[in-house]
Amino acid sequence: MGTDADLHLSDVHLRADCSDAGCDLPCETVFPFAEAADAASSSDDAHEPTAAVDEDGDLLCARRKRRKLATPGRGRLRICHALATPLSDVGLQVWRGALLLCDHLFARESAQLLDGAVVLDLGAGCGLTSAAACLAGARAVFCTDAHTASLRNSANNADANGVGGLVRVRRLDWSAVD
């Protein structure tokens, strides 16, 4: 696994509660998302975009404010993931970009576009956005990655969120030129 200096921390490592991980990876987290109905009824100031960056130059984007969900369990994704990995295994982590994309997928406008769509998720990592696309209305998602452990974890996460029959996990290495 390498030394601590070789480890890269995930974007959620400070807020994750990993005391009760029920999976092969060290952490299982429930991520709440605003549902389409909530997003549609919210005002335009529900989230304030920001152009701030962190010390590494990564864009700091605010997620939508969480709202109470009318149906418990909806708008939530349970994902097994790692908090720190070597660079070769970062697909086992949850990235801030995946959280923002899930917010977007659950927004009313996106949910209308996803209704019955077939989606291709490139570099899916732990499969968070693949599961979100299915829950937001896609009829099928091709969840792809080059990393075998990420693919196995994506399939497990899809099953855990009740969309295993809609998520088709496939190996795709776009760095391998045929």
Side-chain angles (χ1 to χ4, degrees), residues 2-8 85:
T3 66
D4 287 339
D6 296 328
L7 293 180
H8 298 269
T85 63

Side-chain angles (χ1 to χ4, degrees), residues 100-122:
L100 292 168
L101 180 54
C102 289
D103 282 337
H104 178 70
L105 293 174
F106 284 122
R108 184 174 76 170
E109 303 80 21
S110 298
Q112 290 172 346
L113 290 174
L114 283 173
D115 190 28
V118 176
V119 175
L120 175 61
D121 189 356
L122 295 171

Side-chain angles (χ1 to χ4, degrees), residues 24-170:
D24 295 337
L25 292 171
C27 196
E28 182 178 46
T29 304
V30 176
F31 296 99
F33 295 95
E35 293 187 80
D38 292 333
S41 65
S42 66
S43 63
D44 290 338
D45 61 292
H47 67 292
E48 297 175 13
T50 180
V53 294
D54 67 10
E55 63 276 358
D56 294 336
D58 297 325
L59 189 61
L60 296 174
C61 299
R63 291 187 62 212
R64 285 197 175 101
K65 292 180 182 176
R66 296 179 186 169
R67 303 193 185 285
K68 292 195 178 199
L69 301 171
T71 309
R74 299 254 351 247
R76 299 179 190 278
L77 288 164
R78 182 175 301 275
I79 299 294
C80 287
H81 60 95
L83 294 180
T85 63
L87 187 58
S88 61
D89 294 334
V90 293
L92 295 172
Q93 297 182 23
V94 173
W95 291 89
R96 186 179 307 130
L99 295 171
L100 292 168
L101 180 54
C102 289
D103 282 337
H104 178 70
L105 293 174
F106 284 122
R108 184 174 76 170
E109 303 80 21
S110 298
Q112 290 172 346
L113 290 174
L114 283 173
D115 190 28
V118 176
V119 175
L120 175 61
D121 189 356
L122 295 171
C126 60
L128 175 65
T129 56
S130 293
C134 287
L135 292 172
R139 73 178 156 107
V141 174
F142 287 91
C143 174
T144 67
D145 205 293
H147 192 259
T148 303
S150 292
L151 294 171
R152 185 173 41 254
N153 190 42
S154 291
N156 291 339
N157 284 330
D159 288 341
N161 285 286
V163 294
L166 302 175
V167 175
R168 290 152 176 99
V169 177
R170 302 287 188 269

